[in-house]
Amino acid sequence: MEIRNTTENRSVVERAFSVLGVFSGRDHSLSVSDISRLSGLPVATAHRMATKLVSLGGLERVEGSRYTIGLRLWELAAHAPRHRVLRAAAMSHMLRLHEKTKAMVNLSVREGAEGIWLESLGWGGPVCVAPMIVGDRFPLHTTASGNVLLAYASSEVQEDFLARALTRHTQGGPADPLVLRRIVGRVRRWGYAAGDFRTERRTFAVAAPLRDRGGAVVASLSVVTDLAGAGGPQCVGPLLATAVRISREIATAEGRDNSIPHHRAHAQKGFPIPLHTFEAVESAEESVVETAVEGGGETALMRHF
């Protein structure tokens, strides 16, 4: 009897998440018929689950017969340590980076074989590019941010992605695993990724890794700007310097709060990074990258991507 109840409870949880999972930044208001079609649940089941989720605050009823994600879910998600720490460490630096470059600035993390946009600011300004919807997922091979997240994932994650993910997502990015392997290798050698296959040709995207105290890459910081304008490759130096500053803040926060989840570093073998190292890298990276950009090295690299 106890086993049957456990199975039933798990089934209810799975159905509830299947209902919640059909909502996105673009499909933010859905009818019961929409929920049923997108989740694969019978209409009656979708209606019953939606009604229960409304009573719990997971969904809200709007426009009479349509539903949106409820505020209670946002309230719970805001306490997720990974999002809370990253946002606290990154936001002020992201704002300053946007003010300096006039570019769209994005923060993303990897979840399995996909990336998730955690924050995006500066869209609607001089850069004519569609905004990254916070909470939306994207295939790792389609953006500069995703290339960074894939490049610093474990070899097991990379091989699994190359074996399976490219068969599901080929639009907007390189479909050839050999091409993607070369891109991943360049990202690890250069320390950043250039090129964004979701944006139009007139835009330039570059992304850099954000590291925790142990050296593991826990997120990606990216900028998208106008290639023909005053931005473009000149954003690389400020981006890398900002990424180092944010990494230093993440490391400091982890040193203060033992409840923050830690990630095993693949490159640094798990040894903590002294905070003064971030300061040295910050100064050196900005100088080296700005020199490379002035010499046209970044434009050549971008073509290879």
Side-chain angles (χ1 to χ4, degrees):
M1 187 71 175
E2 183 178 348
I3 294 177
R4 185 174 70 250
N5 286 339
T6 301
T7 302
E8 290 173 355
N9 288 339
R10 185 182 300 119
S11 178
V12 169
V13 171
E14 288 172 351
R15 288 198 298 268
F17 269 85
S18 70
V19 169
L20 296 172
V22 301
F23 291 87
S24 70
R26 294 171 178 83
D27 295 322
H28 54 81
S29 173
L30 300 173
S31 67
V32 170
S33 296
D34 295 330
I35 295 172
S36 171
R37 173 175 51 82
L38 294 169
S39 67
L41 295 173
V43 173
T45 302
H47 182 268
R48 184 169 64 252
M49 296 301 301
T51 300
K52 186 61 177 178
L53 286 167
V54 167
S55 71
L56 297 173
L59 293 179
E60 294 179 3
R61 187 178 286 109
V62 295
E63 303 170 13
S65 60
R66 299 183 70 83
Y67 298 85
T68 64
I69 290 292
L71 194 60
R72 177 61 175 160
L73 284 184
W74 173 85
E75 180 185 357
L76 293 172
H79 294 292
R82 182 155 54 148
H83 177 272
R84 174 173 52 83
V85 172
L86 286 174
R87 190 180 190 281
M91 282 305 292
S92 62
H93 296 288
M94 289 174 66
L95 286 168
R96 282 194 286 272
L97 181 60
H98 167 63
E99 291 172 356
K100 182 174 183 178
T101 63
K102 309 304 180 187
M104 181 193 301
V105 183
N106 307 301
L107 177 67
S108 61
V109 295
R110 182 179 64 83
E111 184 75 10
E114 296 178 306
I116 302 175
W117 301 116
L118 288 188
E119 297 291 344
S120 181
L121 56 88
W123 58 272
V127 181
C128 299
V129 60
M132 309 306 180
I133 305 299
V134 172
D136 268 10
R137 292 174 176 258
F138 57 92
L140 297 178
H141 69 296
T142 61
T143 65
S145 295
N147 289 172
V148 164
L149 295 171
L150 181 61
Y152 291 98
S154 67
S155 58
E156 293 80 7
V157 169
Q158 292 180 7
E159 292 305 318
D160 182 66
F161 184 87
L162 290 168
R164 299 189 300 108
L166 292 184
T167 63
R168 298 194 300 269
H169 302 291
T170 57
Q171 293 185 351
D176 186 346
L178 293 178
V179 174
L180 190 57
R181 285 184 190 277
R182 288 198 295 270
I183 291 174
V184 166
R186 288 193 184 103
V187 172
R188 292 190 69 94
R189 289 196 302 274
W190 285 76
Y192 63 97
D196 195 325
F197 308 105
R198 281 180 32 153
T199 60
E200 299 181 11
R201 290 181 180 275
R202 67 175 181 273
T203 61
F204 172 85
V206 60
L210 301 180
R211 298 179 182 272
D212 67 6
R213 190 178 182 87
V217 171
V218 294
S220 174
L221 180 72
S222 66
V223 295
V224 181
T225 188
D226 190 344
L227 179 60
Q234 283 69 31
C235 290
V236 177
L239 171 74
L240 291 183
T242 300
V244 174
R245 294 186 188 105
I246 295 174
S247 295
R248 186 173 60 226
E249 294 220 17
I250 293 171
T252 301
E254 289 179 333
R256 292 194 305 261
D257 189 350
N258 291 327
S259 69
I260 299 172
H262 293 269
H263 304 264
R264 182 173 63 87
H266 304 294
Q268 269 81 8
K269 301 181 181 180
F271 294 111
I273 297 178
L275 296 186
H276 69 269
T277 303
F278 287 125
E279 296 175 3
V281 173
E282 176 184 349
S283 175
E285 268 191 346
E286 185 162 13
S287 174
V288 169
V289 171
E290 285 180 348
T291 300
V293 168
E294 290 173 1
E298 172 54 29
T299 302
L301 173 68
M302 187 172 58
R303 286 199 295 270
H304 288 299
F305 276 84

